[in-house]
Each structure stands twice: as C-alpha cells, then as structure tokens.
Amino acid sequence: GDSVTQMEGPVTLSEEACLTINCTYTATGYPSLFWYVQYPGEGLQLLLKATKADDKGSNKGFEATYRKETTSFHLEKGSVQVSDSAVYFCALSDRSGYSTLTFGKGTMLLVSP
Amino acid sequence: GAGVSQSPSNKVTEKGKDVELRCDPISGHTALYWYRQSLGQGLEFLIYFQGNSAPDKSGLPSDRFSAERTGGSVSTLTIQRTQQEDSAVYLCASSFEGSYEQYFGPGTRLTVT
C-alpha cells in the first residue's frame, strides 16, 4: 500500500536558518503530494501541495518540489522564524476518485530566537 | 465562513463505555473523512463519506468502531466498549467532492481510563 516516510524530529534551528525536512513516498500510481502544518494547540492546516511531477508548491516562504524520479517531496524554507515552530506532516493522496490522505509520522520543528 | 467543528473537544471515559464523537463539516462539502492521531501510529485514515454513504471504511480498526452521516452534513463516530488503546485525537476533515484540499477540524481528544 501507499506510505510516506519523513525525517524524525525534533528539528531545532535558530531564527533565519535554512530548513529542509525530507519526505519520500511509495505509491502505486501518480499521487498528489501535500505538506500539512499543525501549530501548537491548533488543527491541521494545508501548507502547500503539488499534483504532478515537477510541480512546485509554495506558501508562506515554504517550497516543495514533486520529484517523481526520487519519489520525494522535501520541504524547504530559506529563513525560518520562531512562528514557524510547529509539527509538519507530509502526505499523499492517490488518484482513486477521492482523496484519502496517507500521512507521514510528522516532524516537529523548534525555532529559537 | 465557519470551518469544520468537532465536539466534544475533550472526552474522558472509562474502559468499556461507549462514546460518540461529532463532526460538523463546512457547508457544501460533500466529502467527509475521519482520521485518528495517536502517539505510536501517527495520523491514520478511518472512514470516508460521500454524501451519506461510506464507500471506504477500510481504516476502521475493529467492529467496535462505526460512523454515520445524516443529511449529507453532520457525522457521528461511535466507539463501543472503549479500550485504552482507543485513546487518541480523532480528527474530521471535509472537502468538495473531487477536491484534493481537505479542511480539518480541531479534533476530539479521547482518553480512556
């Protein structure tokens, strides 16, 4: 079945550092890929998405590129802020007519001033 | 507009009791999903509704779990004879049919003592 593997956290960074959170996936078809974010005490929010190979999703300074050849969708940001501290989930949805999400286990990001 | 709402936000119950968790999706969203977020397992899909029918129940962990949806809107997840391993945060999400973008509620934290 489908699966998503992402790096374990926590990832601890200083403000303005560069961020990369690795995500790789296994799927039988051509899934859509997502990053969701969960801020402390809040629900899951969609951060960005990409629906086909070589698409780049971007939002709030975060980017991720759908790499079919490496089955990856790494999350990157050039300069993190304290307010980016959250848990980040990589997820995929296969094209089966509806969009059940398969999630990675989540990566906690802690940014210090 | 109003987002996905869930109630109760917290529920503590004794082992062996039944519990009902409620989800109010965004108005007009015909697709509704239940997920479970637990420490050991991450985020797991439970069940998908298309209107009032549930074409995918593959994630329900046992026959103690059931869900229904009425009027194409509110959904109730019922857990009978709760066990300690049922302790988790239960998340509901909704979307327009065919859309990859799911909107999540804040979740219900269930603790079975």
Side-chain angles (χ1 to χ4, degrees):
Chain A
D2 297 345
S3 67
V4 175
T5 303
Q6 59 182 108
M7 58 192 290
E8 291 188 20
V11 174
T12 56
L13 295 173
S14 298
E15 205 164 25
E16 299 183 4
C18 294
L19 168 72
T20 299
I21 300 178
N22 291 335
C23 171
T24 57
Y25 67 90
T26 302
T28 52
Y30 298 93
S32 292
L33 302 174
F34 307 85
W35 278 99
Y36 278 82
V37 59
Q38 189 172 33
Y39 296 103
E42 298 185 17
L44 277 168
Q45 301 173 27
L46 178 64
L47 179 60
L48 54 85
K49 69 178 188 291
T51 58
K52 61 183 188 296
D54 300 325
D55 267 3
K56 178 185 284 188
S58 62
N59 186 23
K60 299 182 180 180
F62 290 89
E63 293 183 339
T65 301
Y66 189 142
R67 301 286 189 200
K68 182 170 173 289
E69 63 276 13
T70 54
T71 61
S72 65
F73 193 55
H74 304 322
L75 182 68
E76 299 177 325
K77 187 174 186 182
S79 176
V80 294
Q81 306 299 312
V82 173
S83 57
D84 294 327
S85 297
V87 181
Y88 292 82
F89 293 89
C90 185
L92 69 81
S93 172
D94 68 20
R95 295 173 184 246
S96 57
Y98 56 96
S99 304
T100 300
L101 291 167
T102 301
F103 286 91
K105 291 191 181 294
T107 303
M108 179 177 288
L109 171 65
L110 300 171
V111 181
S112 57
Chain B
V4 178
S5 61
Q6 293 185 245
S7 60
S9 54
N10 280 285
K11 176 72 176 179
V12 180
T13 190
E14 293 180 353
K15 179 181 172 181
K17 301 284 190 183
D18 297 352
V19 294
E20 286 190 351
L21 313 180
R22 176 187 168 107
C23 171
D24 278 279
I26 292 172
S27 177
H29 281 189
T30 53
L32 186 147
Y33 305 79
W34 283 97
Y35 296 88
R36 180 169 69 173
Q37 186 176 19
S38 55
L39 275 176
Q41 301 298 321
L43 271 156
E44 305 169 281
F45 164 76
L46 297 178
I47 187 170
Y48 156 68
F49 283 93
Q50 180 182 43
N52 291 336
S53 64
D56 189 347
K57 306 178 184 179
S58 62
L60 294 178
S62 76
D63 58 8
R64 296 186 295 105
F65 287 72
S66 63
E68 64 175 13
R69 190 178 183 194
T70 55
S73 180
V74 171
S75 177
T76 303
L77 178 69
T78 301
I79 309 173
Q80 295 178 310
R81 305 181 302 282
T82 52
Q83 304 294 312
Q84 286 187 332
E85 61 262 28
D86 299 335
S87 296
V89 176
Y90 289 82
L91 296 170
C92 175
S94 70
S95 73
F96 290 111
E97 200 61 51
S99 170
Y100 294 110
E101 187 160 352
Q102 295 183 27
Y103 294 82
F104 282 79
T108 294
R109 181 175 296 278
L110 175 65
T111 304
V112 182
T113 61

